[in-house]
């Protein structure tokens, strides 16, 4: 026996698909057991119970492949086959995209940006469903939430939001709906007609639809509302919305509300509400003393009907009417919870309380092993029986085993079963059930017993499984088959020994108001796009649902959904429900993209920033000498020498280590930015940029060029000579030039350079030349020796990154404008100090959220290699924060020759960043994407939900102080910055 | 478990369901574009548009809602023959099968509209709309003719002369005159008295032979209050006096077809001009 267990990190598929795949894998030759599942706690438990050892570091975002075979060779063969199946999965769905095409959306919100959908179908695991459904609500789109295990308070909040937005939330745990003739989830093929259904019960709604269909009456829409909607806590929130929508729907002439026993006060409130809608509303809400579903449908139809039934042929058992042994019990084995409820409500009138796994009263609960020697009704669709396996409407295995068990139990007098047909159900459940029933009856007969079987068969003539065919199969196996579950139950009771007889002829009289004539006006109704327009669906979760919709000729956009970053579920919900978020983010984005950026002056840092002697600014979040990286140390040493605070590098290092008279402070704390090490000392000259729109100012040092330069940690004599020349000659010249010319619009230069092949972070060629063009007249006419002017122009013109130090403060001005808006999840800073990567967020004030900086991957200069590279460093990621740089790579495909990768990567990167940004920049556009605005305004929640981290193009500094630049490449922030920021946002939202 | 790739699921308009699910008939391809085929169904005088997912959803169309134009090869040329019936269209390389029926958008009849919008202060006032962008887009002659036709039917006069002048006028599959008349018909369906609407519909039907089969089919849709969703929503918004909503919808309608959207709007505006004149007459005789 050989066990093989492997983890596939980051590989995701939905549970329904994986269950099918596990089944296929288990059937492979030589495989004894197989399980392919996401490593959730539940699945790990299941795998351990199967005897597999699961690696301890497995997370719910990892796919576990577990195989048990006799030999290693068989494992190898099975793995190969499994790989092929998994490859088939990832190739399916038609979601592959070609060159330059956008990647599939990763959230419902992302998908809704690209398509005018009428419905979002959410079937992701319960803890993630609320966030996806809220995306739909925020976009003004109704949602059907198939997912279960959604906390009650989330359901209430979600429905509150839907009410405010005027859309409908169907669910959570909504398995059945029909909208405009399209079946969603488990639903029957019904003819179009005048009856609208509001359903807090899936199988209940299917029973009502099947009966209406049999009576020749069609359905306009069946709107599910979730099983808890009529509870006291949820208070019928979605039922109200659904009633209002159906009242305003031209195709709907009467409405039926179907539910398990509702909260009486909620039911009464809803009745009052429905009374004002101007459309007759009937109540098929089960409960003691209330009419059963069949009676409720008959009330809609205006009188009793002869519902279809199928009797077993006499030759099947010698006689049609059977009587079981004295003292034997009713055993109901159900797939539909509401059908089980209805059977118990009817049966308890004759038999007293019926023990069940979904009891009508707590004292009637069956033991966990579901053993019984009396009457019992078991719902095999109950959550506890569907953990880790498909619903019994799809996988009948568990129930068929129980049928065989009942056949051997002398205490079983009558078997009562339901069978639900329609879309979503097993493609052909009749033959297996018929065979099981035939076997059961044979077993009983061999033991000298009679075992009558009654089946309530819920379906329509148009269902793909075939109603009549299935009914005849079951009757042929000896079952009494009824379309009405109530009739089936009463018939089963009549077959019990000592039955009063004739029970089935005495249906409960309908209660409720008679169908009033429809008044002219429908004052309370409210039209819903979902019912008005032909369906266009966005689907997140189970792939089979999307397939089922495509088969019904419904346009579907599938979300390539993945679980969010681990441990963030509750925080994501809290932030998604923060009522300030939408407006705060809209405001933050608006401020970000509307910020101006004009170069107004060039001055020494001591003057512009008030920088005192001994104070050094640096890039990234706060850090001390102890933890500072090589390049930052090198730059600080150089600055000490430049300022005359030390005579030798060694002395500078000692002073810095002691910290005497030296203060280190992030540039960002002074509204400044610095590339790479970002070290600014008092004598250095800085650009001064103004955003007149928001009244902000930002500063940045002058660019020294590439190679051995201070910002990359070099501090040799040539570095210091250059800096002295910049302080003495270049700075004052630029000062004169800017003063002479007047403000230079840097934001406009950025917009233009993106159209000329720059991305504004690691490619600044066009920007640098355009800036020089603006400054040249002022430089030429400056009061300085011609040789100085010539040297300054030569220096600026030869430096392709000359513009970077202007683009960065321009971006800083944009993000400054967006900062400090309570509730906003927009990232306003991304910066690194060579040790830590830190972010700041608009809605969390001055707090930094940090994690260890990653080391870029890319191309190296000369003989340098990956081992020479220092972790990510510099404030230059402010460009990506403001929507250019890595985010605008598609505008600068030539950048890949500098940072690595290929042209498709450049295009894909920009396309991908739209998934994590709040909007598009109105002025900075990408020509190759049809002048689409660059993805702008990183959203913390989007990063956490998609796991897509911002792409940063960056230079690489040498690890050892004094080295300088070693290359350029691509890097992403550590995920924990974003999860920590989210936790803070969630904490503030909860306060 | 996988569907036969040669069978494409489609949604048929409720308006064409009887035709498609009827007996097998030979249909000829009247027109073809990457986005669809117009099928003239033999012996019925009716046109069935068969459209790709990214085509405009014409009210009578059979729509391949999951296949875009670039994924389709119709495999048949103009004048070619295909078979329509039994719920399917048989093309040389593909079977298009209707698996459901869709409801085309139709304007809200006056009786279905909620009361608050109906008091005189909020009746449609095209003058209050963003007319600046429209001045260039709308053909003034077409608008005037549409107004005249509307005034005629509202005043119980015979609109036949005006209708005959419009039906089939202009180039293309959907002539400009037809588009304008569609605009008038939709406006009347949303506002007008039933008698006026029916009178105009009958006159248009009688003149339908003067235009292309495609044009006649769209006129029949409009006479029943049905149209492309964007247009229907705009007419609803205009009639309800919801200027913000109509302003938002206007660009999408103007973008329809080569000039179809603008011609349709000329018809809508002409009809609204006539209705407005009538309202002013009723409220303040001096104003006219």
């Amino acid at each position: 026996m050989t066990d093989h267990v492997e983890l596939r990190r980051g590989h995701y598929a939905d549970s329904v698909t994986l269950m099918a795949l596990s089944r296929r894998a288990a059937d492979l030759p030589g495989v004894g057991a197989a399980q392919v599942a996401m490593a959730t706690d539940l699945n790990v438990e299941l795998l351990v119970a199967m005897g597999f050892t699961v690696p301890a570091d497995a997370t719910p975002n990892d796919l576990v492949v577990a195989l048990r075979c006799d030999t290693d060779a068989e494992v190898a063969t099975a793995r190969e086959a499994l790989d092929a199946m998994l490859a088939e999965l990832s190739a399916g769905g038609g979601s592959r995209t070609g060159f330059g095409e956008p990647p599939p959306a990763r959230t419902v919100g992302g998908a809704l940006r690209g398509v005018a959908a009428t419905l979002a179908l959410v079937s992701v695991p319960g803890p993630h469903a609320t966030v996806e459904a809220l995306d739909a609500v925020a976009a003004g789109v109704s949602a059907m939430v198939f997912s279960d295990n959604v906390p009650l308070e989330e359901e209430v909040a979600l429905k509150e939001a839907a009410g405010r937005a005027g859309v409908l939330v169907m669910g959570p745990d909504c398995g059945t709906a029909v909208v405009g003739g399209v079946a969603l989830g488990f639903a029957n093929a019904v003819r179009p007609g005048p009856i609208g259904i509001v359903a807090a019960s899936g199988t209940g709604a299917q029973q009502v639809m099947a009966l209406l269909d049999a009576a020749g009456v069609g359905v306009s829409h069946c709107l599910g509302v979730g099983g808890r909607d009529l509870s006291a806590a949820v208070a019928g929130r979605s039922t109200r919305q659904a009633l209002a929508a159906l009242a305003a729907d031209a195709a709907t002439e009467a409405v039926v509300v179907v539910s398990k026993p509702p909260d009486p006060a909620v039911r009464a409130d809803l009745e009052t509400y429905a009374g004002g809608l101007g459309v007759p509303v009937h109540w098929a809400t089960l409960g003691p003393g209330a009419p059963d579903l069949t009676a409720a449908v008959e009330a809609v139809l205006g009188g009793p009907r002869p519902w279809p039934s199928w009797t077993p042929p006499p030759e099947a058992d010698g006689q049609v009417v059977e009587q079981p042994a004295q003292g034997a019990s009713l055993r109901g084995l159900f797939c539909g919870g509401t059908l089980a409820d209805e059977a118990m409500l009817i049966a308890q009138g004759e038999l007293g309380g019926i023990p069940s796994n979904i009891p009508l009263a707590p004292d009637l609960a069956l033991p966990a092993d579901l053993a019984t020697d009396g009457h019992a009704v078991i719902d095999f669709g109950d959550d506890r029986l569907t953990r880790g396996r498909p619903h019994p409407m799809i996988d009948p295995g568990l129930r068929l085993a129980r049928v065989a068990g009942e056949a051997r139990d002398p205490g079983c007098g009558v078997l009562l079963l339901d069978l639900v047909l329609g879309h979503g159900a097993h493609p052909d459940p009749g033959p297996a059930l018929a065979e099981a029933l035939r076997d059961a009856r044979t077993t009983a007969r061999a033991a000298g017993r009679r075992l009558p079987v009654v089946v309530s068969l819920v379906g329509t003539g148009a269902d793909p499984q075939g109603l009549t065919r299935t009914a005849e199969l079951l009757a042929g196996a000896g079952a009494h088959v009824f379309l009405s579950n109530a009739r089936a139950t009463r018939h089963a009771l009549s077959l019990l020994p000592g039955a009063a007889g004739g029970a089935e002829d005495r249906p409960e009289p309908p209660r409720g108001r008679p169908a009033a004539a429809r008044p002219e006006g429908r004052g309370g109704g409210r039209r819903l796009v979902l019912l008005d327009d032909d369906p266009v669906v966005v689907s997140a979760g189970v792939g089979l649902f999307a397939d089922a919709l495509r088969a019904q000729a419904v346009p579907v956009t599938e979300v390539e959904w993945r679980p969010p970053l681990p441990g963030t579920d509750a925080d994501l919900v809290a932030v998604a429900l923060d009522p300030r978020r939408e407006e705060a983010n809209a405001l933050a984005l608006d401020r970000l993209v509307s910020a101006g950026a004009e170069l107004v002056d060039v001055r020494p840092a001591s003057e512009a920033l008030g920088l005192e002697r001994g104070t050094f600014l640096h890039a990234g979040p706060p850090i001390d000498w102890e933890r500072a990286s090589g390049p930052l140390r090198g730059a600080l040493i150089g600055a000490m020498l430049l300022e005359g605070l030390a005579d030798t590098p060694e002395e500078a290092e000692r002073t810095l280590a002691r910290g005497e008279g030296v203060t280190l402070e992030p540039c960002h704390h002074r509204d400044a930015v610095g590339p790479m090490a970002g070290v600014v000392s008092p004598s250095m000259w800085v650009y001064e940029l103004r955003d007149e729109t928001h009244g902000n100012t930002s500063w940045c040092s002058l660019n020294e060029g590439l190679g051995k330069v201070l910002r990359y940690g070099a501090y040799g004599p040539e570095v210091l000579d250059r800096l002295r020349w910049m302080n003495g000659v270049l700075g004052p010249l630029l000062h004169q030039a800017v003063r002479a010319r007047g403000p230079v619009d840097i934001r406009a230069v950025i917009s233009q350079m993106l159209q000329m092949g720059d991305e504004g972070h690691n490619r600044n060629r066009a920007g640098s030349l355009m800036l020089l063009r603006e400054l040249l007249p002022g430089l030429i006419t400056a009061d300085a020796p011609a040789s100085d002017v010539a040297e300054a122009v030569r220096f600026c013109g030869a430096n392709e990154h000359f513009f970077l130090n202007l683009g960065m403060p321009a971006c800083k001005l944009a993000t400054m404008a967006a900062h400090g808006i309570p509730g906003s999840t927009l990232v306003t800073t991304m910066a690194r100090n060579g040790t830590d990567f830190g972010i700041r967020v608009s809605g969390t004030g001055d707090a930094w959220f940090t994690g260890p900086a990653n080391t870029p991957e890319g191309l190296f200069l000369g003989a340098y290699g990956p081992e020479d590279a220092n972790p990510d460093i510099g404030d230059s990621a402010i460009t990506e924060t403001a929507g250019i740089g890595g985010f605008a790579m598609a505008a600068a495909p030539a950048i890949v020759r500098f940072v690595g990768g290929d042209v498709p990567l450049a295009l894909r990167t920009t396309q991908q960043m739209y998934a994590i940004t709040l909007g598009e920049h109105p002025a900075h556009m990408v020509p190759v994407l049809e002048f689409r605005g660059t993805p702008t305004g990183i959203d913390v929640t989007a990063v956490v939900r998609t796991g897509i981290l911002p792409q940063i193009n960056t230079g690489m500094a040498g690890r050892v102080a004094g080295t300088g630049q070693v290359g350029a490449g691509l890097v992403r922030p550590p995920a924990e910055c974003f999860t920590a920021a989210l936790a803070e946002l969630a904490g503030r939202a909860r306060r | 478990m996988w569907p036969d790739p040669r069978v494409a699921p489609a949604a048929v308009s409720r308006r064409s369901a009887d035709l498609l699910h009827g007996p097998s008939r030979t249909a000829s391809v009247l027109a073809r574009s990457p986005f669809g085929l117009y099928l003239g169904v033999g012996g019925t005088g009716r046109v069935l548009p068969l459209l790709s997912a990214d085509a405009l959803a014409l009210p009578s169309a059979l729509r391949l809602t999951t296949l875009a134009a670039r994924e389709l090869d119709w495999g048949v040329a103009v004048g070619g023959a295909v078979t329509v019936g039994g719920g399917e269209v048989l093309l040389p390389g593909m079977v298009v099968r209707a698996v459901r029926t869709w409801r085309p958008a139709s304007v809200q009849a006056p009786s279905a509209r909620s009361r608050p919008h109906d008091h005189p202060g909020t009746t449609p006032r095209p003058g209050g709309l963003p007319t600046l962008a429209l001045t260039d887009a709308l053909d003034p002659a077409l608008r005037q003719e549409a107004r005249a036709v509307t005034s005629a039917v509202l005043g119980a006069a015979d609109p036949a002369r005006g209708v005959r002048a419009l039906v089939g006028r202009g180039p293309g599959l959907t002539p400009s005159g037809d588009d304008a008349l569609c605009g008038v018909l939709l406006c009347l369906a949303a506002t007008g008295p039933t008698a006026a609407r029916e009178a105009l519909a009958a006159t248009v039907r009688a003149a339908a032979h003067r235009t292309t089969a495609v044009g006649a089919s769209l006129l029949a849709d409009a006479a029943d209050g049905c149209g492309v969703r964007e247009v229907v929503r705009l007419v609803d918004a205009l009639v309800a006096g919801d200027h913000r909503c109509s302003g938002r919808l206007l660009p999408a309608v103007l973008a329809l077809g080569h000039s179809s959207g603008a011609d349709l709007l000329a018809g809508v505006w002409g009809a609204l001009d006539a209705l407005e004149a009538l309202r002013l007459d009723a409220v303040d005789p001096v104003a006219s």
Side-chain angles (χ1 to χ4, degrees):
Chain A
M1 204 65 108
T2 306
D3 275 8
H4 168 80
V5 179
E6 65 176 297
L7 286 184
R8 305 209 175 176
R9 303 214 183 264
H11 197 120
Y12 179 83
D14 69 75
S15 57
V16 175
T17 303
L18 289 177
M19 277 191 262
L21 198 130
S22 298
R23 214 149 262 255
R24 280 171 68 195
D27 289 342
L28 288 170
V31 175
Q35 189 72 25
V36 185
M38 300 309 294
T40 59
D41 292 347
L42 184 69
N43 286 332
V44 169
E45 217 174 276
L46 196 74
L47 283 157
V48 169
M50 290 170 77
F52 288 109
T53 310
V54 182
D57 60 341
T59 77
N61 293 5
D62 301 327
L63 182 80
V64 193
V65 175
L67 287 168
R68 179 168 299 143
C69 304
D70 282 336
T71 66
D72 287 345
E74 282 168 348
V75 167
T77 315
R79 275 184 68 188
E80 222 166 89
L82 204 59
D83 281 343
M85 291 182 207
L86 285 166
E88 200 179 295
L89 280 188
S90 48
S95 63
R96 299 303 95 193
T97 54
F99 180 79
E101 280 182 46
R106 299 283 288 270
T107 61
V108 167
L112 287 173
R113 280 195 208 173
V115 55
T118 61
L119 180 73
L121 177 52
V122 176
S123 53
V124 302
H128 313 298
T130 303
V131 171
E132 298 299 328
L134 277 168
D135 274 3
V137 170
V141 174
S142 294
M144 172 167 169
V145 183
F146 183 86
S147 322
D148 54 8
N149 293 315
V150 173
L152 186 63
E153 60 276 17
E154 287 184 22
E155 174 171 350
V156 172
L158 175 60
K159 289 180 172 178
E160 280 282 303
R164 284 193 299 271
V167 297
L168 177 67
V169 167
M170 300 191 276
D173 203 5
C174 172
T176 298
V178 176
V179 176
V182 171
L184 295 154
F186 301 104
N188 301 91
V190 289
R191 70 189 80 209
I195 306 295
I197 299 173
V198 179
S201 146
T203 47
Q206 290 191 273
Q207 168 80 96
V208 169
M209 285 193 277
L211 293 174
L212 287 171
D213 195 78
V217 176
V219 168
S220 58
H221 308 280
C222 170
L223 305 176
V225 291
R228 295 185 299 214
D229 198 66
L230 274 66
S231 67
V234 187
R237 286 183 163 90
S238 282
T239 301
R240 268 166 207 266
Q241 296 277 106
L243 283 170
L246 289 171
D249 176 50
T252 303
E253 290 172 15
V255 178
V256 184
V257 179
V258 188
S259 168
K260 296 182 189 189
D263 179 83
V266 171
R267 152 91 201 246
D269 276 357
L270 285 170
E271 237 175 304
T272 309
Y273 176 71
L277 289 174
V279 65
V281 177
H282 304 267
W283 301 87
T285 49
L286 293 175
D292 57 57
L293 298 176
T294 303
V297 170
E298 287 173 343
V300 175
L301 298 171
R305 297 274 169 149
W307 300 112
S309 63
W310 293 263
T311 313
E315 57 273 21
D317 204 45
Q319 60 180 101
V320 174
V321 179
E322 307 171 54
Q323 288 293 335
Q326 282 296 319
S329 307
L330 173 72
R331 299 285 162 80
L333 309 179
F334 282 81
C335 300
T338 305
L339 301 177
D341 274 346
E342 186 185 41
M344 289 190 285
L345 282 164
I346 292 170
Q348 72 180 6
E350 296 207 10
L351 307 175
I354 309 289
S356 172
N357 63 333
I358 53 161
L360 292 175
D363 58 320
L364 294 171
L366 280 173
D369 64 357
L370 304 178
T372 176
D373 53 7
H375 303 300
V377 167
I378 298 170
D379 172 20
F380 284 88
D382 183 50
D383 287 350
R384 280 158 295 183
L385 296 180
T386 55
R387 288 184 131 206
R389 58 162 59 238
H391 194 276
M393 275 162 65
I394 299 169
D395 177 357
L398 212 54
R399 185 167 78 149
L400 293 181
R402 180 77 185 213
V403 168
E406 295 293 344
R408 292 188 297 271
D409 179 359
C412 172
V414 176
L415 260 186
L416 173 63
L417 299 99
D418 63 352
L419 185 63
V420 183
L421 307 180
H423 295 288
H426 190 287
D428 192 14
L433 183 58
E435 194 189 325
L437 295 180
R438 194 173 282 119
D439 288 352
R441 286 164 55 79
T442 308
T443 305
R445 197 184 297 114
R449 296 160 49 224
R450 294 205 173 282
L451 180 58
V453 178
V454 182
V455 177
S456 68
L457 179 62
V458 176
T460 68
D463 279 338
Q465 297 91 345
L467 176 68
T468 307
R469 175 180 156 269
T470 307
E472 284 170 356
L473 269 171
L474 298 174
H480 305 259
V481 183
F482 294 83
L483 190 70
S484 154
N485 185 57
R487 294 274 166 99
T489 306
R490 291 198 177 87
H491 186 75
L493 292 173
S494 76
L495 294 176
L496 278 178
E504 60 189 301
D505 300 319
R506 291 186 284 104
E508 299 269 355
R511 225 180 45 150
R513 291 178 307 131
R518 185 176 154 177
E520 229 359 84
R522 287 185 173 191
R526 182 154 67 164
R527 284 178 77 169
L528 191 66
V529 171
L530 175 67
L531 307 190
D532 276 355
D533 287 2
D534 203 45
V536 177
V537 178
V538 160
S539 172
V542 179
L544 285 176
F545 288 152
D547 293 341
L549 286 168
R550 278 190 211 99
Q552 294 177 76
V554 174
V556 187
T557 303
E558 268 189 278
V559 174
E560 205 170 281
W561 188 85
R562 297 284 176 278
L565 295 173
T568 57
D569 303 352
D571 291 342
L572 280 172
V573 173
V575 174
L577 287 171
D578 187 341
R580 304 168 301 173
R581 183 180 57 111
E582 289 272 329
E583 264 183 48
N585 279 342
L587 177 64
L589 181 67
D590 181 64
R591 290 174 65 95
L592 193 155
V593 300
S594 62
E598 289 184 323
L599 171 62
V600 292
D601 209 346
V602 184
R603 295 196 282 161
S606 55
E607 201 181 292
L609 288 157
L611 213 57
E612 314 80 11
R613 190 170 164 79
T615 299
F616 299 95
L617 303 186
H618 64 82
I623 192 161
D624 53 27
W625 174 262
E626 196 60 40
R627 295 184 65 244
S629 62
L632 179 51
R633 287 184 174 201
L636 286 167
I637 292 167
M640 289 281 286
L641 298 171
L642 180 72
E643 297 298 326
L645 289 168
D647 292 330
T648 64
E650 295 71 23
E651 189 195 340
E653 205 169 333
R654 278 195 302 276
T655 311
L656 284 161
R658 282 199 307 273
E660 270 170 31
V662 173
T663 307
L664 302 186
E665 196 182 333
C667 294
H668 274 290
H669 288 190
R670 301 242 185 168
D671 296 342
V673 277
M676 300 310 288
V679 169
V680 180
S681 61
S683 70
M684 292 180 190
W685 286 60
V686 292
Y687 296 116
E688 185 166 301
L689 276 74
R690 278 287 291 169
D691 165 17
E692 290 299 345
T693 312
H694 303 103
N696 292 326
T697 308
S698 179
W699 297 271
C700 185
S701 52
L702 314 184
N703 196 289
E704 314 157 71
L706 290 176
K708 286 222 180 283
V709 286
L710 186 83
R711 71 175 191 282
Y712 280 93
Y715 52 81
E718 75 275 32
V719 176
L720 295 175
D721 286 349
R722 190 188 304 113
L723 287 171
R724 287 189 190 104
W725 173 79
M726 288 167 70
N727 284 355
V729 177
L730 181 63
L733 264 174
L734 288 170
H735 168 82
Q736 286 194 56
V738 171
R739 286 283 176 99
R741 187 202 176 281
V744 182
D745 188 345
I746 299 301
R747 176 187 149 110
V749 175
I750 294 174
S751 292
Q752 287 182 63
M753 69 196 272
L754 293 184
Q755 314 231 344
M756 298 167 75
D758 283 350
E759 43 71 275
H761 187 168
N762 253 316
R763 193 173 160 92
N764 289 288
R765 293 185 176 194
S768 296
L769 291 172
M770 278 189 283
L771 182 70
L772 191 57
R773 184 181 67 186
E774 298 300 328
L775 297 178
L776 212 42
L779 285 170
I780 291 167
T781 54
D783 178 18
S787 58
D788 281 359
V789 172
E791 181 56 16
V793 170
R794 189 204 57 75
F795 179 81
C796 298
N799 179 1
E800 287 168 359
H801 286 289
F802 180 51
F803 183 78
L804 174 65
N805 297 37
L806 287 134
M808 282 174 56
C811 289
K812 173 67 181 169
L813 286 172
T815 60
M816 273 170 80
H819 193 74
I821 299 168
S824 171
T825 60
L826 183 138
V827 176
T828 49
T829 306
M830 292 198 293
R832 321 79 105 197
N833 56 32
T835 305
D836 305 314
F837 193 115
I839 69 168
R840 294 194 295 182
V841 178
S842 178
T844 56
D846 291 333
W848 287 91
F849 305 98
T850 61
N854 295 321
T855 302
E857 289 175 23
L859 303 177
F860 291 88
L861 301 174
Y864 291 120
E867 64 286 354
D868 300 312
N870 192 75
D872 200 11
I873 185 167
D875 286 337
S876 54
I878 196 71
T879 55
E880 281 83 11
T881 318
I884 60 170
F887 284 44
M889 257 177 108
I895 188 105
V896 300
R897 291 291 171 90
F898 189 56
V899 295
D902 53 17
V903 172
L905 170 89
L907 265 105
R908 202 164 55 237
T909 299
T910 297
Q911 299 270 29
Q912 194 187 39
M913 292 304 111
Y914 289 109
I916 57 165
T917 45
L918 288 165
E920 298 172 13
H921 203 289
H924 304 337
M925 293 181 286
V926 184
V928 76
L929 297 179
E930 293 287 359
F931 296 94
R932 188 173 180 187
T934 61
T936 303
I938 300 166
D939 178 3
V940 171
T941 61
V943 172
V944 172
R945 286 172 66 185
T946 62
I948 296 173
L949 294 161
Q951 178 67 66
I952 297 165
N953 294 343
T954 194
M956 273 188 271
R959 180 178 287 278
V960 177
T963 308
Q965 184 175 17
V966 298
L970 304 169
V971 71
R972 300 205 187 221
E976 54 255 56
C977 298
F978 295 90
T979 52
L982 180 77
E984 175 62 22
L985 285 163
R988 288 174 183 238
R990 292 186 188 107
R991 281 202 284 277
Chain B
M1 91 176 256
W2 303 108
D4 181 348
R6 292 185 63 250
V7 178
V12 65
S13 164
R14 198 158 60 172
R15 300 179 59 77
S16 297
D18 62 323
L19 186 65
L20 188 73
H21 290 285
S24 262
R25 298 183 177 99
T26 299
S28 63
V29 178
L30 303 176
R32 187 189 117 144
S33 86
F35 296 97
L37 301 176
Y38 289 94
L39 305 174
V41 183
T44 65
R46 289 166 67 183
V47 174
L48 177 68
L50 168 58
L51 303 175
S52 68
D54 43 351
L56 267 184
L58 301 180
S60 295
L62 172 63
R63 294 162 56 210
L64 286 159
T65 46
T66 59
L67 292 170
R70 65 182 156 78
E71 299 170 280
L72 284 163
D73 174 12
W74 299 111
V76 57
V78 173
V82 302
T83 307
V84 172
E88 296 178 342
V89 174
L90 306 179
L91 298 173
M94 173 170 62
V95 179
V96 179
R97 181 177 298 157
V99 294
R100 71 178 172 97
T101 306
W102 67 281
R103 280 194 304 177
S106 61
V107 294
Q108 277 192 285
S111 60
R113 209 169 305 117
S114 52
R115 299 288 109 190
H117 291 311
D118 281 4
H119 63 82
T122 55
T123 39
R125 308 224 24 191
L129 287 167
T131 46
L132 200 67
L134 282 171
T135 329
D136 297 337
L138 300 190
D139 178 343
L142 213 50
R143 177 173 170 178
Q144 185 50 45
E145 285 173 89
R147 178 183 176 152
V149 165
T150 314
S151 297
V153 287
L154 289 174
D158 185 4
R161 180 196 286 268
V163 167
R164 277 201 302 272
L166 283 171
V167 172
R169 191 175 81 198
L173 267 181
T174 59
S176 294
D178 291 7
D179 286 327
L181 266 177
C182 281
V184 173
L185 286 163
L186 288 173
C187 268
L188 284 180
T191 59
T194 316
R197 175 186 166 186
E198 280 170 1
L200 183 59
T203 313
V204 169
R205 254 196 312 278
H209 62 277
R210 303 170 79 98
T211 185
T212 62
V214 175
S217 152
L218 289 173
L219 283 168
D221 292 334
D224 292 337
C226 292
V228 171
R229 183 172 78 170
E230 291 82 348
V231 176
V232 165
R233 293 279 175 276
L234 177 64
V235 170
D236 276 344
L238 286 169
V239 167
D242 186 347
H243 291 177
R244 233 184 73 184
C245 181
S246 47
R248 204 173 57 235
L249 292 164
L250 219 42
V253 173
L254 275 171
L256 298 180
H258 194 254
S259 62
S260 279
D263 294 339
L264 220 144
L265 283 180
V268 170
W269 249 253
L272 292 177
D273 289 343
L275 285 160
E276 175 75 355
L278 197 70
R279 186 185 70 86
L280 291 176
D281 272 352
V283 173
D284 176 11
V286 184
S288 61

